[in-house]
């Protein structure tokens, strides 16, 4: 009798732990350790965020593997985990992050207007964007590629789009949308632009377009989510170093985020974040790229 009671109690306890683990895994996949005792120089962004005990972060809401709202309403993905790592180093727990959807086109704007504290959103660092915002990182280097329907054999790379007929989809305000124009005979007719990549995936599925172009890892996420409907050409033709966007001129905050990335690479949090997210389709975790400490 005693033993049976004990067994029952153990089962209940195990169930409770299981549920708790489940509940927290959605909101914090890797749960980086929050530095509670941390102190920052007065007047810095770090000090301000630490004292406020809340952060607003811009990310994508519809990009599997990097930033996606799941069915429970939690955000999951590598970008989300990178943001949590930065928040934890600021002494702010993940559940005190307010997430803001930042489609490609609005990223500079929301940073300039102070609507977010920083942006982690498959955001390529480049000189044009650096005129408006600052970038920590890169924390990953992707490459532009092309996705087509599984049965398509007519498109083997960007050159296949030079025919002036085939339609390719990308997103307004993204680097791939600009780059692909250089391959198109008639960009006005051939390039279809939406605000988010999930709409491009729908257009490809419905055969309204022949291809989707953006960073390979974004396409891999869409392919994974498509249940085998799409395939990657797998001929990357650019380098897309992903940075964390922040207010231009906030050099102390930029240096802090860079230091945080280096610390996360050292203590294993960076690799853990990858494995829990993008590692689902690319199991080999990347090495943190050499940072651009300009
Ligand atoms: N990395 C590219 C960019 O920042 C494409 C991905 C995106 O649109 O988020 O424009």
């Amino acid at each position: 009798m005693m033993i049976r009671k004990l067994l029952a109690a153990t089962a209940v306890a195990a169930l409770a732990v299981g549920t708790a683990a489940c509940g927290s895994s959605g909101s914090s996949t890797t749960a980086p350790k929050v530095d509670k005792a941390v102190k920052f120089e007065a007047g810095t962004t770090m000090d301000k965020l630490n004292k406020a005990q809340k952060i607003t972060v811009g990310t994508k809401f519809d990009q599997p593997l990097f930033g996606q709202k799941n069915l429970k309403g939690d955000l999951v993905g590598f970008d989300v985990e990178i943001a949590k790592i930065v928040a934890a180093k600021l002494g702010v727990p993940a559940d005190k992050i307010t997430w803001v959807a930042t489609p490609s086109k609005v990223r500079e704007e929301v940073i300039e207007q102070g609507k977010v504290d920083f942006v982690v959103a498959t955001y390529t660092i480049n000189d044009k964007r650096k005129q408006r915002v600052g970038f920590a990182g890169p924390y990953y280097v992707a490459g532009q590629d092309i996705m087509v329907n599984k049965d398509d054999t007519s498109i083997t790379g960007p050159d296949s789009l030079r025919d002036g007929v085939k339609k390719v989809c990308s997103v307004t305000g993204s680097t791939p949308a600009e780059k692909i124009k250089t391959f198109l005979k008639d960009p006005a007719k051939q390039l279809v632009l939406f605000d988010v990549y999930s709409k491009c995936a729908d257009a490809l599925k419905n055969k309204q377009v022949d291809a989707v172009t953006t960073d390979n890892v974004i396409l891999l996420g869409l392919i994974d989510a498509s249940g085998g409907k799409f395939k990657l050409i797998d001929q990357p033709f650019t380098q897309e170093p992903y940075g964390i966007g922040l207010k231009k001129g906030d050099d102390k905050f930029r240096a802090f985020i860079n230091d945080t990335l280096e610390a996360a690479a050292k203590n294993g949090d960076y690799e853990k974040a990858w494995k829990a997210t993008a590692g689902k389709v690319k199991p080999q975790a990347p090495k943190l790229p050499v940072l651009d400490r300009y």
Side-chain angles (χ1 to χ4, degrees):
M1 184 64 182
M2 268 302 277
I3 289 178
R4 216 195 284 158
K5 246 192 195 161
L6 202 64
L7 279 176
T10 316
V12 169
L15 195 72
V17 170
T19 316
C22 245
S24 65
S25 69
S27 54
S28 180
T29 318
T30 54
K33 216 164 145 277
V34 177
D35 200 341
K36 289 221 177 84
V38 71
K39 288 243 176 315
F40 296 103
E41 187 190 330
T44 58
T45 301
M46 294 82 86
D47 187 49
K48 191 192 95 193
L49 297 175
N50 173 265
K51 289 210 171 107
Q53 279 296 294
K54 54 179 195 216
I55 300 181
T56 306
V57 176
T59 193
K60 303 293 186 81
F61 278 26
D62 69 329
Q63 288 181 199
L65 308 181
F66 276 77
Q68 188 181 35
K69 221 176 197 174
N70 68 14
L71 290 176
K72 282 199 322 202
D74 294 324
L75 275 166
V76 291
F78 188 57
D79 282 344
V80 171
E81 293 306 317
I82 291 288
K84 286 180 193 169
I85 287 171
V86 176
K89 236 342 192 229
L90 286 163
V92 179
D95 63 358
K96 293 288 183 291
I97 301 175
T98 301
W99 302 100
V100 175
T102 49
S104 302
K105 192 180 166 218
V106 308
R107 292 175 293 197
E108 286 87 18
E109 201 173 301
V110 292
I111 293 169
E112 285 175 330
Q113 294 172 354
K115 288 189 174 151
V116 298
D117 297 305
F118 56 89
V119 164
V120 196
T122 58
Y123 197 7
T124 297
I125 302 171
N126 65 32
D127 288 343
K128 188 168 165 223
R129 289 172 177 168
K130 271 185 185 169
Q131 288 173 12
R132 295 178 63 184
V133 299
F135 283 107
Y139 59 93
Y140 183 70
V141 181
Q144 183 173 353
D145 211 318
I146 293 173
M147 173 175 90
V148 295
N149 276 308
K150 185 95 194 169
D151 52 8
D152 187 298
T153 51
S154 67
I155 298 169
T156 52
D159 287 322
S160 307
L161 301 167
R162 289 192 196 275
D163 65 358
V165 177
K166 289 195 190 75
K167 282 193 164 42
V168 59
C169 189
S170 200
V171 156
T172 315
S174 72
T175 50
E178 287 310 307
K179 179 75 183 176
I180 202 66
K181 283 183 194 160
T182 63
F183 292 91
L184 304 178
K185 203 161 154 192
D186 189 353
K189 201 172 98 193
Q190 290 183 268
L191 183 58
V192 176
L193 293 174
F194 287 116
D195 56 343
V196 290
Y197 294 107
S198 50
K199 291 185 186 167
C200 282
D202 286 341
L204 180 63
K205 193 168 74 191
N206 300 333
K207 311 230 164 132
Q208 289 161 319
V209 297
D210 303 285
V212 177
T213 188
T214 185
D215 304 338
N216 47 4
V217 283
I218 298 176
L219 296 174
L220 282 174
L222 295 170
I223 291 166
D224 185 53
S226 80
K229 283 201 171 66
F230 308 136
K231 67 179 179 193
L232 188 70
I233 296 300
D234 209 5
Q235 302 282 339
F237 52 97
T238 67
Q239 286 226 324
E240 307 292 330
Y242 287 178
I244 295 166
L246 67 155
K247 265 244 162 78
K248 185 177 160 137
D250 196 345
D251 295 343
K252 285 189 178 162
F253 192 35
R254 189 160 55 79
F256 166 82
I257 298 178
N258 280 329
D259 292 344
T260 301
L261 290 172
E262 272 174 356
K266 253 201 197 131
N267 71 17
D269 281 352
Y270 175 84
E271 189 176 340
K272 239 196 263 170
W274 182 269
K275 293 223 154 118
T277 57
K280 186 183 167 201
V281 301
K282 261 185 170 291
Q284 181 66 47
K287 282 232 164 327
L288 181 71
V290 175
L291 299 180
D292 173 18
R293 287 186 185 262
Y294 61 91

